[in-house]
Amino acid sequence: MQKLFYYTLVLFSCICFSQNKQLLYGFTEIPQSLLSNPGAKVNNKGYFGIPLLSHIHANVGSSGVSAFDLFADNGVNFNVKLRNVVDNLRSIDFFTATQQLEVFSGGIQLGPAYNKNQYLSFGFYQETDFISYFPKDFAILALEGNQPNIGRPFEFDQVSFDAELLSVLHVGYNKRVNEKFTYGIRGKIYSSVANINSTRNEGRFITTPSDVNTLQQVFDLDLEVRTSGIAGFIDDDDEDDGDSDTEGFGDVGSRFLFGGNLGLGVDLGFTYQKNDQWYFDASILDFGFITYTKDVENYEIEGNFVFEGIDPFFIGETNPQTANEVWTAISEDFEALFDPDTTQTKYTKLRPVKLNTSLNYAFGKKVLKECNCVAEEGDYLNRVGGQLYAIARPRGPQLALSAYYYRRIAKGLSAKATYTIDPFSSTNVGLGVSAQLGGFNMYLLTDNLLAYRNIYDAQSVSLQLGFNYIFRNEN
């Protein structure tokens, strides 16, 4: 049990991701910024993403522990470091994972020749999303056992996790109503390949003194794990459907292409230009749901049980039990409690809704000369602002606050720097660069630069990159 706990904690520390894209948000030179705000300003006639390379996103982190905390070569015993990590983590600390790979994308400007104020964008991407909260009570139970914790309840509501593998087909519409207001909407069709979640657990386990034996263990359980698209991969002994495994693996491609669990969602966004220099924007993303009907298998445990331990038996007793009979009775009691009920009930789950909003100020207008080599007429070279990000999660929203500085360095070359305070770090400095050579656009965005001095001590490190071909507006 203790080794299993070690490995689980290390695994979580190594594969955790976050969804905030503060560097991409508002970076309108990059077409994929429309994915974070469908109502952002658009400054190109059209584009197409290089297939499988237009947007690659991955970042790693955890809200309360880094690999360095466990594996630093500092002469401290590993068990001591593990104990310190468990003591410092809270039950609201979490490990998350999100990865995105854009398969294809594109966009085109619409409207009459004298006023092309509309924009249609579309694409298809694959996404992985995972979150697990740290079950502190059971980490302590694994480390110490129940003997030092007589009378302490271990709460099962701390066991909360959700994992999803899905694809998303989307179409977005953006319209510049006038010089002050632009809005956008994006419709999405979700196709879930696989899901496992357990976020509605209740109950407790407690050890108390007993009148029969020294101690008794009291279980009060209401636990549930829901799965879809997973049973076909792991059920090797399903005699009712001997081809279940083959179907499970062979079905993956079709599930990505909307043969899986389907759902609908919408993104909404707008930009309001208060005056020449100040503007405000906001977006709400993934307001939608997925209904799970494919390969559904759910597991439920509900009930109360008191285990008094093994009663001593004596030869002189009437009808004494043998040791084998005692053990059989105990194992049957435990099996009755911990053997879950299995159902195939379909279920529907909301997507994790995300909110972005920012206030921005532009300055440093370029004075037009004979050779306008840096900026177009009416453009500003610099921009600063603040952004708030929030995402709905099973145990409450997760928030991040960013300040940024944007600079147009040269024609076709711009950069954005951010400083972010989030659950992972209060010193998260990021930098992003977008470059355009002719119509070819490339961008690289990376987060938490200060952590690169000791990458193992970082609680989050992020990377986004992509390649597009953009048809620029004539200036």
Side-chain angles (χ1 to χ4, degrees):
M1 175 67 75
Q2 196 173 51
K3 288 184 178 180
L4 177 62
F5 172 69
Y6 291 168
Y7 297 148
T8 303
L9 185 59
V10 171
L11 177 64
F12 282 163
S13 300
C14 296
I15 64 167
C16 304
F17 298 76
S18 152
Q19 289 195 331
N20 190 14
K21 296 182 178 180
Q22 67 271 24
L23 282 164
L24 183 63
Y25 186 82
F27 206 152
T28 55
E29 285 89 340
I30 303 171
Q32 282 73 22
S33 64
L34 279 174
L35 290 175
S36 56
N37 182 6
K41 291 184 176 181
V42 180
N43 52 19
N44 64 73
K45 294 192 297 184
Y47 86 99
F48 64 86
I50 306 303
L52 299 176
L53 296 176
S54 55
H55 185 60
I56 301 170
H57 170 223
N59 42 21
V60 59
S62 72
S63 69
V65 63
S66 69
F68 189 77
D69 294 330
L70 285 171
F71 302 110
D73 186 12
N74 54 9
V76 179
N77 184 274
F78 178 80
N79 290 330
V80 174
K81 288 186 284 191
L82 180 62
R83 176 81 247 189
N84 291 337
V85 166
V86 172
D87 287 342
N88 291 331
L89 285 170
R90 303 161 298 167
S91 61
I92 58 173
D93 280 315
F94 56 89
F95 310 92
T96 65
T98 298
Q99 161 272 329
Q100 284 185 349
L101 175 66
E102 194 169 67
V103 180
F104 66 83
S105 66
I108 184 170
Q109 199 175 57
L110 302 174
Y114 62 88
N115 184 26
K116 289 189 174 294
N117 63 341
Q118 302 169 66
Y119 197 86
L120 183 71
S121 60
F122 56 88
F124 179 79
Y125 63 87
Q126 170 269 324
E127 178 176 306
T128 304
D129 185 29
F130 166 84
I131 182 169
S132 177
Y133 289 88
F134 180 67
K136 184 173 179 111
D137 280 2
F138 294 95
I140 292 173
L141 181 63
L143 285 175
E144 300 178 354
N146 57 348
Q147 179 61 42
N149 293 288
I150 305 301
R152 172 176 178 168
F154 295 91
E155 303 290 346
F156 280 94
D157 62 359
Q158 295 181 9
V159 179
S160 180
F161 61 87
D162 190 359
E164 183 93 58
L165 173 63
L166 76 158
S167 64
V168 183
L169 178 68
H170 60 90
V171 177
Y173 174 77
N174 176 286
K175 182 174 182 179
R176 186 182 71 253
V177 178
N178 50 46
E179 293 302 318
K180 287 184 174 292
F181 188 71
T182 301
Y183 73 88
I185 182 171
R186 182 175 306 280
K188 294 181 173 180
I189 301 176
Y190 305 112
S191 180
S192 173
V193 177
N195 171 257
I196 178 171
N197 70 87
S198 182
T199 59
R200 302 186 296 182
N201 297 313
E202 296 180 359
R204 58 176 52 185
F205 160 73
I206 186 171
T207 301
T208 62
S210 169
D211 295 332
V212 177
N213 280 331
T214 305
L215 300 173
Q216 64 179 3
Q217 285 77 43
V218 181
F219 298 88
D220 176 14
L221 305 180
D222 186 2
L223 312 178
E224 181 184 42
V225 177
R226 301 185 297 183
T227 75
S228 177
I230 295 177
F233 296 108
I234 61 176
D235 190 3
D236 295 330
D237 300 319
D238 189 350
E239 297 180 358
D240 295 331
D241 187 359
D243 294 327
S244 63
D245 290 340
T246 303
E247 291 176 359
F249 284 103
D251 238 10
V252 172
S254 65
R255 290 181 185 179
F256 273 115
L257 298 172
F258 309 108
N261 306 291
L262 297 180
L264 297 174
V266 65
D267 299 345
L268 302 169
F270 71 90
T271 300
Y272 174 69
Q273 188 81 39
K274 186 177 185 300
N275 55 41
D276 195 32
Q277 293 179 277
W278 286 96
Y279 71 92
F280 174 79
D281 56 22
S283 67
I284 182 168
L285 309 177
D286 286 316
F287 187 76
F289 65 92
I290 298 176
T291 298
Y292 299 88
T293 62
K294 305 287 187 179
D295 200 14
V296 174
E297 197 160 287
N298 306 319
Y299 311 94
E300 299 176 2
I301 296 176
E302 184 175 2
N304 301 296
F305 181 70
V306 178
F307 175 53
E308 296 281 1
I310 300 176
D311 293 331
F313 58 92
F314 301 98
I315 299 298
E317 288 186 349
T318 304
N319 300 321
Q321 289 181 297
T322 66
N324 185 60
E325 290 172 335
V326 171
W327 175 251
T328 300
I330 292 171
S331 63
E332 289 177 351
D333 286 341
F334 268 88
E335 286 179 6
L337 176 66
F338 294 108
D339 186 20
D341 295 327
T342 303
T343 68
Q344 282 74 43
T345 305
K346 302 173 184 179
Y347 62 95
T348 298
K349 190 165 66 69
L350 298 178
R351 296 287 294 142
V353 178
K354 309 166 193 71
L355 172 69
N356 290 285
T357 182
S358 72
L359 180 64
N360 313 270
Y361 176 74
F363 63 97
K365 193 171 184 177
K366 176 69 177 178
V367 178
L368 203 61
K369 297 181 180 179
E370 282 187 23
C371 176
N372 180 20
C373 302
V374 178
E376 290 79 18
E377 183 177 7
D379 285 344
Y380 289 88
L381 295 181
N382 307 282
R383 203 164 63 236
V384 294
Q387 180 200 345
L388 175 66
Y389 168 82
I391 180 171
R393 285 305 196 181
R395 301 189 66 183
Q398 296 166 9
L399 307 175
L401 183 63
S402 300
Y404 79 87
Y405 170 68
Y406 163 91
R407 170 76 180 183
R408 180 176 296 177
I409 301 171
K411 189 172 183 179
L413 180 63
S414 53
K416 181 180 180 181
T418 58
Y419 177 86
T420 301
I421 299 174
D422 58 24
F424 304 108
S425 172
S426 59
T427 56
N428 183 348
V429 176
L431 179 64
V433 177
S434 174
Q436 187 154 331
L437 302 175
F440 188 70
N441 165 259
M442 65 191 79
Y443 63 92
L444 177 65
L445 316 173
T446 186
D447 224 355
N448 214 345
L449 293 174
L450 299 179
Y452 284 92
R453 295 173 298 183
N454 182 359
I455 195 69
Y456 300 105
D457 198 23
Q459 290 184 204
S460 66
V461 177
S462 171
L463 178 68
Q464 298 176 76
L465 59 92
F467 303 89
N468 303 287
Y469 190 88
I470 298 177
F471 301 94
R472 301 183 62 186
N473 285 313
E474 299 295 335
N475 298 312

